[in-house]
Amino acid sequence: MEIRVLRYFLTVVREESITKASEVLHITQPTLSRQLSQMEEEVGVKLFNRGTRKITLTNEGILLRRRAEEILQLVDKTEKELVEQEEQIEGKITIGCGEIASVQLLPELFKVFHDKYLRVTFDIFTATADIVKEQMDKGLIDVGLLLEPIDIEKYDFVRMQIKEKWVVVMRPDDPMAFKKSVTAKDLSDVPLILPRRLKVQSELASWFGNYFENLNVLFTSNLSTNASIMVSQGLAYSLVVEGAIPFWDKSKIIYRPLSPELSATSVLAWKRGQPFSPAATKFIEQAQCLLGMSKALKLSI
């Protein structure tokens, strides 16, 4: 399957019409129709439902659209990186990270690097460690800041020195807000929002002990921002790492630490053996150097 034909395919999907797509692509309608028919023959499934007014996708077509978008994103990224090999260090470095305290270490890395390489820019992608890792495996993210536990067997990494502390989020007028800390028993009979990541749930299960099996889990959430809206409306209590909440409106939601304390670590990781652009390679080298001097960069939180 040719890259050119994948671009044709996505244009038709976007325009919902072969006629409109052919105009955008500057090719004849019969030529475009023939290319799409050959694509369906090649993959052996029907990709389009050809209606009288517009074209829609079959389930197989929807899957191909997702994969085509990923493939073309990777192709475009690779083409840019190949061009950068012959030029001054420039380009874009894609950093994936969660809503965690260790993000506080990134601005210093960015500043030091940008002062030296003025033509390099950064793209910050926020998601859970599992999603960031998946994007790294596809080559769409260069470096990931990942909350552990995470399987990093295929990665090189630097472990961050900031401790990620787990807390429970609640409304300021909640009775639990008057406590200095919150225990597993306190949370055993109230509605909860837990992280969506299964490995993180396992960590929390160990902390809850015998209470875990009977918890009232009303929601799971992949990131803490939307969960905080549910908390502000009094629907549930949310368990998050403290680093996810430094800029939240304290008049609407507050947090209390868990007792006994539950903490985690994070790593700045990149895929082992993967070829990177010159800019990403330089950034990784700098990160290893600066983060290796952990005491100099360590922040108190």
Side-chain angles (χ1 to χ4, degrees):
M1 190 180 301
E2 298 181 24
I3 297 299
R4 170 178 54 84
V5 179
L6 286 178
R7 296 190 190 278
Y8 290 172
F9 169 75
L10 289 179
T11 303
V12 172
V13 172
R14 184 178 68 248
E15 299 297 330
E16 299 182 335
S17 163
I18 292 180
T19 301
K20 292 180 180 179
S22 64
E23 293 173 357
V24 171
L25 295 167
H26 304 292
I27 60 176
T28 65
Q29 184 176 334
T31 299
L32 181 56
S33 296
R34 187 170 59 253
Q35 292 282 358
L36 296 178
S37 296
Q38 289 175 352
M39 171 185 280
E40 287 181 314
E41 291 176 8
E42 183 179 347
V43 297
V45 295
K46 183 180 178 182
L47 300 173
F48 297 100
N49 294 312
R50 293 169 171 82
T52 55
R53 296 194 174 186
K54 68 177 183 179
I55 288 180
T56 59
L57 292 175
T58 63
N59 289 337
E60 292 80 5
I62 292 172
L63 175 60
L64 179 60
R65 181 189 64 188
R66 290 201 300 264
R67 295 293 179 258
E69 289 171 345
E70 292 175 354
I71 290 169
L72 293 178
Q73 185 179 355
L74 184 56
V75 167
D76 292 341
K77 188 173 188 290
T78 302
E79 289 176 348
K80 290 179 182 178
E81 290 173 352
L82 290 174
V83 171
E84 291 165 8
Q85 294 280 353
E86 303 300 327
E87 299 177 355
Q88 180 182 351
I89 300 297
E90 61 180 352
K92 182 181 293 183
I93 302 171
T94 304
I95 311 290
C97 58
E99 296 177 332
I100 56 179
S102 293
V103 174
Q104 296 177 66
L105 295 179
L106 295 182
E108 180 67 16
L109 288 176
F110 293 155
K111 182 180 184 302
V112 172
F113 190 83
H114 185 64
D115 286 346
K116 187 173 183 180
Y117 303 106
L118 296 176
R119 301 176 69 177
V120 174
T121 60
F122 298 92
D123 176 30
I124 299 178
F125 175 81
T126 304
T128 62
D130 292 336
I131 295 175
V132 171
K133 185 167 163 286
E134 178 182 308
Q135 295 290 298
M136 291 168 67
D137 288 340
K138 293 176 179 177
L140 301 176
I141 286 179
D142 298 307
V143 180
L145 182 56
L146 310 173
L147 178 68
E148 295 184 295
I150 190 79
D151 181 6
I152 51 176
E153 182 180 350
K154 297 183 296 184
Y155 302 85
D156 291 319
F157 63 91
V158 178
R159 180 159 280 110
M160 311 299 272
Q161 295 301 310
I162 290 182
K163 183 185 294 185
E164 306 287 349
K165 299 178 182 177
W166 284 92
V167 299
V168 58
V169 181
M170 65 200 69
R171 289 166 55 98
D173 58 355
D174 190 273
M176 221 176 290
F178 296 96
K179 293 177 172 286
K180 291 184 178 180
S181 60
V182 176
T183 67
K185 184 178 180 180
D186 293 330
L187 300 174
S188 61
D189 58 355
V190 297
L192 296 176
I193 305 174
L194 295 187
R196 192 178 182 188
R197 288 181 60 200
L198 295 179
K199 289 185 178 180
V200 172
Q201 287 184 23
S202 295
E203 294 285 302
L204 290 171
S206 297
W207 182 82
F208 274 104
N210 294 332
Y211 293 108
F212 187 76
E213 291 186 3
N214 297 314
L215 290 180
N216 178 12
V217 180
L218 186 57
F219 302 98
T220 58
S221 178
N222 65 329
L223 290 175
S224 57
T225 305
N226 285 338
S228 71
I229 296 174
M230 308 303 150
V231 173
S232 69
Q233 297 301 311
L235 291 177
Y237 299 79
S238 179
L239 278 84
V240 301
V241 287
E242 185 179 3
I245 55 181
F247 304 111
W248 289 1
D249 187 345
K250 294 180 178 59
S251 68
K252 295 181 179 179
I253 51 174
I254 62 171
Y255 66 90
R256 292 292 179 265
L258 300 182
S259 177
E261 179 182 294
L262 178 64
S263 62
T265 53
S266 60
V267 294
L268 190 70
W270 52 94
K271 196 169 183 182
R272 185 180 301 123
Q274 177 171 304
F276 292 99
S277 68
T281 299
K282 293 293 185 183
F283 181 79
I284 290 169
E285 291 173 354
Q286 175 193 277
Q288 288 176 298
C289 178
L290 292 181
L291 293 176
M293 299 183 294
S294 59
K295 291 183 180 180
L297 281 178
K298 187 174 182 180
L299 303 176
S300 61
I301 59 174

